[in-house]
Amino acid sequence: MGLLVASEAVEARKDRFDWFCEAVSSDVMPVMLSTRHAADFRASITDLDLGVVRLSALACSPVLSRRTSTHVRRGDPEHLQLALVTQGAVRISQRGNESLVAGQLVLTDTSRPSEGECTGGQVETVVMQIPRHALALKSDRVDRLLARGLAADVASGAILADFLKTLLTHGPQCRPEELRGMGSVALDLATAFLAQQLGDPGAAPAEARAQETVQRIHRFIENNLGDPGLTPQVIADRHNMSLRQLYNLFGDQPLTISARIRRSRLERAHADLACGELSGQPVQAIAARWGFSTATGFSRAFREAYGITPTEHRASSLAAPRHAKHRNPARHTHHRAPFGPKFTAEDTTPE
């Protein structure tokens, strides 16, 4: 389930099934595949990178997959795969559960052995790849849902299914920042759907609800870094809580809300200044893109965090690849800062 191959069309190759097997094992996760249709095997893929999650649509000839404990030890992306079977049927088994899924959603875990078999003709699925750590639900509760057919035609399941199909249709026309925002929405919908499948979401443990809220706020911050008006009060209002509740929620976090916003903005600006494609843009234009309203404020914050000015960082970053190219271009495809932003004690104390 959830096989993801982002490369050229399989149909163009004579050894298409062998190539397909190798590509899946190397690009997604180690798995054993077999089919009775090797001679005329067909597969196509549409893939969208949504930041926190990845979404794909897969259509393929009938195939059987088997992922053993040995495969898991060889490679594990540590993802939950939430798949919507839109055509055909798939028999999936994992953790003692087995279901025949058609027109439903089904959840699997890459960290556990599993077996899947496409039945009938061509099978089409829409698959969301969710990092385990990104799902704000306790693992032992989520495990109850593995390999069980979940309704996709009513309530939150229908909303989630329709959103995923619409996103695949219109997502290719979106800008990267829009796709990241849609990824956050998709993750929230998936979390709400799975929580509903586990029972009354309001009865979820307080710790899990708090973790979900913290992660939602983190995603809100990342999606709104370019807004100079992004403040703790705005975040609290957006999430229907008081400022005190917001501070209490982040009481055990390594950085305060203000410091978290500042660090993320500096990291984005730091990366953009080192990007050759943006070398023609003024430093202040890049600073403004990430929510810094004044040149002096940005320069001071940047120097405090990285020890050099934004202009010095840009000059050294853009010069390094040119020097490296003369030495050994194959070994210098990326330039990375030797250290991250530093934060003083005032960044980790309550606002």
Side-chain angles (χ1 to χ4, degrees), residues 57 121 189 235 256 275 306:
L189 288 175
I235 295 170
T256 62
C275 179
Y306 294 102

Side-chain angles (χ1 to χ4, degrees), residues 8-340:
E8 69 265 26
V10 180
E11 289 82 349
R13 305 181 59 94
K14 294 180 180 180
D15 59 339
R16 45 188 174 259
F17 183 68
D18 290 340
W19 173 85
F20 182 76
C21 294
E22 181 179 351
V24 168
S25 290
S26 61
D27 294 349
V28 184
M29 60 183 181
V31 64
M32 181 175 67
L33 303 174
S34 61
T35 184
R36 296 178 181 178
H37 305 270
D40 59 347
F41 187 79
R42 295 289 184 271
S44 63
I45 187 72
T46 300
D47 182 37
L48 280 178
D49 184 354
L50 304 177
V52 67
V53 299
R54 183 177 290 271
L55 188 65
S56 60
L58 175 70
C60 68
S61 302
V63 65
L64 186 147
S65 66
R66 187 165 183 260
R67 180 164 163 82
T68 66
S69 298
T70 300
H71 291 127
V72 174
R73 288 193 295 271
R74 281 172 50 195
D76 180 16
E78 299 184 356
H79 283 174
L80 290 167
Q81 298 181 328
L82 185 59
L84 172 66
V85 181
T86 56
Q87 178 176 317
V90 177
R91 187 179 302 279
I92 186 73
S93 61
Q94 188 172 59
R95 198 176 176 263
N97 298 328
E98 181 174 327
S99 300
L100 180 63
V101 182
Q104 296 174 292
L105 288 151
V106 63
L107 186 71
T108 55
D109 184 355
T110 66
S111 300
R112 298 175 182 271
S114 63
E115 291 188 8
E117 179 183 8
C118 302
T119 61
Q122 177 171 284
V123 171
E124 297 182 7
T125 60
V126 177
V127 186
M128 186 192 310
Q129 307 268 355
I130 308 173
R132 261 280 187 178
H133 65 81
L135 189 67
L137 295 171
K138 287 192 172 181
S139 296
D140 59 343
R141 302 183 73 233
V142 173
D143 287 348
R144 305 174 198 169
L145 301 177
L146 296 178
R148 292 184 174 179
L150 307 173
D153 58 351
V154 295
S156 58
I159 295 172
L160 174 61
D162 287 347
F163 180 77
L164 297 182
K165 289 184 287 187
T166 300
L167 190 53
L168 279 171
T169 300
H170 300 287
Q173 287 79 50
C174 294
R175 299 188 303 273
E177 58 269 26
E178 290 179 304
L179 289 177
R180 287 195 296 269
M182 292 299 99
S184 297
V185 174
L187 180 56
D188 285 344
L189 288 175
T191 301
F193 168 70
L194 294 175
Q196 186 65 48
Q197 298 301 307
L198 291 168
D200 182 4
E207 179 182 344
R209 294 201 303 272
Q211 180 186 5
E212 180 181 0
T213 302
V214 167
Q215 293 195 15
R216 186 183 301 115
I217 291 173
H218 280 316
R219 294 194 295 271
F220 178 79
I221 290 173
E222 290 299 315
N223 292 334
N224 291 276
L225 288 174
D227 180 1
L230 182 64
T231 64
Q233 185 64 63
V234 168
I235 295 170
D237 293 342
R238 173 64 175 76
H239 292 83
N240 301 311
M241 64 178 68
S242 69
L243 199 56
R244 180 178 295 276
Q245 288 175 315
L246 178 65
Y247 291 157
N248 289 339
L249 187 64
F250 279 75
D252 59 350
Q253 298 291 305
L255 294 175
T256 62
I257 292 289
S258 294
R260 170 78 168 77
I261 295 171
R262 179 167 168 259
R263 182 184 70 175
S264 295
R265 284 172 169 165
L266 285 169
E267 288 174 344
R268 297 291 182 87
H270 186 276
D272 280 1
L273 287 169
C275 179
E277 296 178 357
L278 301 177
S279 61
Q281 295 189 12
V283 170
Q284 180 52 27
I286 290 176
R289 176 184 300 129
W290 296 116
F292 290 96
S293 55
T294 67
T296 54
F298 170 64
S299 182
R300 181 173 60 253
F302 194 96
R303 188 178 188 111
E304 289 175 354
Y306 294 102
I308 57 176
T309 67
T311 301
E312 291 169 342
H313 166 61
R314 166 176 270 183
S316 62
S317 298
L318 298 182
R322 290 196 295 271
H323 296 324
K325 182 177 180 180
H326 293 297
R327 294 197 303 270
N328 187 348
R331 295 183 57 192
H332 299 275
T333 56
H334 298 284
H335 176 72
R336 300 181 114 188
F339 48 82

